Amino acid sequence: MAAEVQPQPLTRKPILLQRVEGSQEVVNMAVLVPKEEGVISVSEDRTVRVWLKRDSGQYWPSIYYVMPSPCSCMSFNPETRRLSIGLDNGTISEFILSEDYNKMTPVKNYQGGVTALCWDPVQRVLFSGSSDHSVIMWDIGGRKGTAIELQGHNDKVQALSYAQHTRQLISCGGDGGIVVWNMDVERQETPEWLDSDSCQKCDQPFFWNFKQMWDSKKIGLRQHHCRKCGKAVCGKCSSKRSSIPLMGFEFEVRVCDSCHEAITDEEPCGWQGLLSAKRRAPTATFHDSKHNIVHVHFDATRGWLLTSGTDKVIKLWDMTPVVS
């Protein structure tokens, strides 16, 4: 009697379609070019490369661009072909790629300790995460070129993702903090810090102003800055703190006494009090992921967030309770 032939179990596994090689150092990020058989990559070897598939079936660089510093991250908008690249030296460099992806034209540079990037294609706003714990919203849509700072992390910002349908920004910090920012509000630009040799409130000299100290026979004071008006002030004239959510300060920061009075508004009732309370209402929610996040991906269709950390753990989150 013939032995019964047992069917072999089917083995399902990913199929390797292509190997794209040529970078001399770690490739920190790569994206597929939509509607094209191409790949854009940035590397620690300081190169930006656009790889297009040739007739031979191999991918070869159509663009090989050397940056002044190693490339840490990037964001690509296929509709406008705008490529934003974050460098280790704290610069964001922007380029426009040609229609045939054979040329990249420099547009503009921005400064900031860049650790992460993401793009809002509707408002034409670029978000960058920084090693100084801040998120900066760069208005590069042709209006003013403004930069608005968002402060809500206690550690460097490791990853960013933007929920376009709800206009919410998700930022993740190295300490495991996840912050969901409401970007559907009219935010105010952070003022530049002003320079002065004496307090711009009481005129007391700062400690480097030897002439005024000698003339007034007063000991120089340490210089501080009001986060709301940007004026240079002494500690006595800026003894109070307040959160300023519409300026991106979700935590309490130093403000001068006059700005503190304007923020808190002594009248507790009436429309002025309601307006003041609305301006001070938080514009972000804070959550603890309990692992050190290095990368994040948000699926807007399901409202799921995927985080990966230095603890070698991947976590999947349902964000619909907070991103809606």
Side-chain angles (χ1 to χ4, degrees):
M1 183 176 179
E4 183 178 354
V5 178
Q6 297 292 332
Q8 294 295 322
L10 296 175
T11 301
R12 296 184 178 182
K13 60 181 181 179
I15 300 173
L16 179 63
L17 298 176
Q18 192 65 250
R19 291 174 62 94
V20 180
E21 298 177 294
S23 298
Q24 302 302 311
E25 297 288 345
V26 175
V27 178
N28 282 324
M29 196 168 181
V31 297
L32 291 168
V33 179
K35 301 178 183 179
E36 294 280 347
E37 289 192 283
V39 174
I40 304 173
S41 68
V42 295
S43 170
E44 288 186 7
D45 64 7
R46 300 190 297 132
T47 63
V48 181
R49 305 180 198 224
V50 180
W51 312 78
L52 295 181
K53 191 173 184 180
R54 307 301 183 181
D55 293 338
S56 62
Q58 299 296 316
Y59 282 79
W60 291 96
S62 63
I63 294 176
Y64 178 96
Y65 197 99
V66 180
M67 303 297 293
S69 181
C71 308
S72 56
C73 54
M74 70 172 169
S75 174
F76 178 60
N77 180 5
E79 285 78 19
T80 61
R81 300 188 309 282
R82 183 184 292 267
L83 178 66
S84 304
I85 302 168
L87 305 180
D88 281 357
N89 65 4
T91 301
I92 302 172
S93 296
E94 285 200 337
F95 300 86
I96 298 293
L97 301 185
S98 62
E99 291 187 10
D100 59 3
Y101 291 94
N102 283 307
K103 182 181 180 182
M104 54 191 291
T105 305
V107 179
K108 196 172 184 180
N109 289 336
Y110 305 87
Q111 290 296 323
V114 183
T115 53
L117 290 172
C118 74
W119 171 252
D120 174 6
V122 176
Q123 302 297 318
R124 297 185 67 191
V125 169
L126 179 69
F127 298 100
S128 68
S130 174
S131 55
D132 66 2
H133 311 176
S134 65
V135 177
I136 298 179
M137 181 173 67
W138 306 90
D139 173 15
I140 57 177
R143 293 191 291 274
K144 291 183 179 179
T146 56
I148 295 176
E149 192 173 344
L150 305 176
Q151 293 283 357
H153 285 280
N154 294 310
D155 203 337
K156 65 179 179 178
V157 180
Q158 294 278 52
L160 295 170
S161 186
Y162 186 68
Q164 181 179 328
H165 64 299
T166 60
R167 293 196 63 190
Q168 288 173 286
L169 176 71
I170 303 171
S171 60
C172 301
D175 59 355
I178 299 176
V179 183
V180 181
W181 304 86
N182 178 18
M183 303 311 300
D184 195 20
V185 294
E186 187 174 347
R187 294 188 176 273
Q188 302 168 14
E189 187 176 10
T190 307
E192 292 186 10
W193 285 3
L194 303 177
D195 293 325
S196 179
D197 291 329
S198 58
C199 176
Q200 294 182 300
K201 293 293 183 179
C202 67
D203 201 38
Q204 283 272 79
F206 294 132
F207 62 82
W208 61 81
N209 189 351
F210 299 109
K211 184 180 186 304
Q212 188 175 347
M213 282 194 294
W214 177 263
D215 293 341
S216 62
K217 301 297 187 290
K218 294 179 180 178
I219 298 176
L221 303 176
R222 181 183 174 188
Q223 177 184 264
H224 301 281
H225 283 92
C226 173
R227 299 310 194 269
K228 189 175 191 301
C229 67
K231 288 184 178 179
V233 289
C234 66
K236 184 179 178 181
C237 294
S238 59
S239 60
K240 298 179 176 62
R241 295 177 180 271
S242 177
S243 61
I244 320 174
L246 292 183
M247 296 185 72
F249 297 113
E250 294 290 336
F251 302 150
E252 290 191 343
V253 290
R254 181 185 296 273
V255 293
C256 67
D257 293 349
S258 57
C259 283
H260 186 267
E261 292 178 6
I263 292 170
T264 55
D265 198 305
E266 295 180 350
E267 189 173 348
C269 58
W271 69 270
Q272 289 182 335
L274 291 174
L275 181 61
S276 176
K278 183 177 180 181
R279 287 174 177 169
R280 296 186 63 199
T283 62
T285 58
F286 300 85
H287 315 275
D288 187 4
S289 69
K290 299 190 183 302
H291 74 151
N292 297 328
I293 298 172
V294 294
H295 189 68
V296 62
H297 177 76
F298 180 66
D299 182 350
T301 58
R302 290 180 287 183
W304 289 1
L305 184 73
L306 195 70
T307 60
S308 56
T310 57
D311 53 5
K312 304 176 184 178
V313 174
I314 298 172
K315 294 185 178 182
L316 181 63
W317 312 80
D318 180 4
M319 298 296 289
T320 53
V322 290
V323 180
S324 59

